[in-house]
Amino acid sequence: MSDPRMQVRARVRHEPDRSYAVLVEGPDGEVEVGRTGKTADLWALAQAGAARLFGESLGADNLTLHVPQPPYGQDGQ
């Protein structure tokens, strides 16, 4: 069971090929834990990556995922 005081931050980085990189703040800094082309997979990638980094599964209360708006002018709009 995860420690209720543990808070892990993750973020999404928009890639030039229109995919998403998921980065988790680990003990030694930010680590890319996976990439996907589907927004529906972002949360699962963040949870799985955090579990690998910290050795335990984290609940929704322990993990924050920040998904910024895509940069304008770089995605064909």
Side-chain angles (χ1 to χ4, degrees):
M1 178 134 198
S2 64
D3 182 348
R5 295 167 294 166
M6 178 184 247
Q7 291 297 311
V8 176
R9 293 188 312 193
R11 71 178 179 96
V12 172
R13 181 178 66 213
H14 295 276
E15 298 297 323
D17 66 357
R18 300 183 77 166
S19 66
Y20 308 97
V22 178
L23 300 103
V24 174
E25 225 175 84
D28 298 322
E30 197 172 58
V31 177
E32 184 177 320
V33 295
R35 289 183 184 221
T36 183
K38 299 178 181 180
T39 56
D41 296 339
L42 296 174
W43 183 255
L45 273 175
Q47 282 188 310
R52 285 193 310 270
L53 286 174
F54 295 100
E56 62 181 279
S57 294
L58 297 174
D61 293 340
N62 301 93
L63 180 65
T64 303
L65 178 62
H66 176 69
V67 182
Q69 292 290 332
Y72 290 106
Q74 295 183 9
D75 62 352
Q77 290 185 359

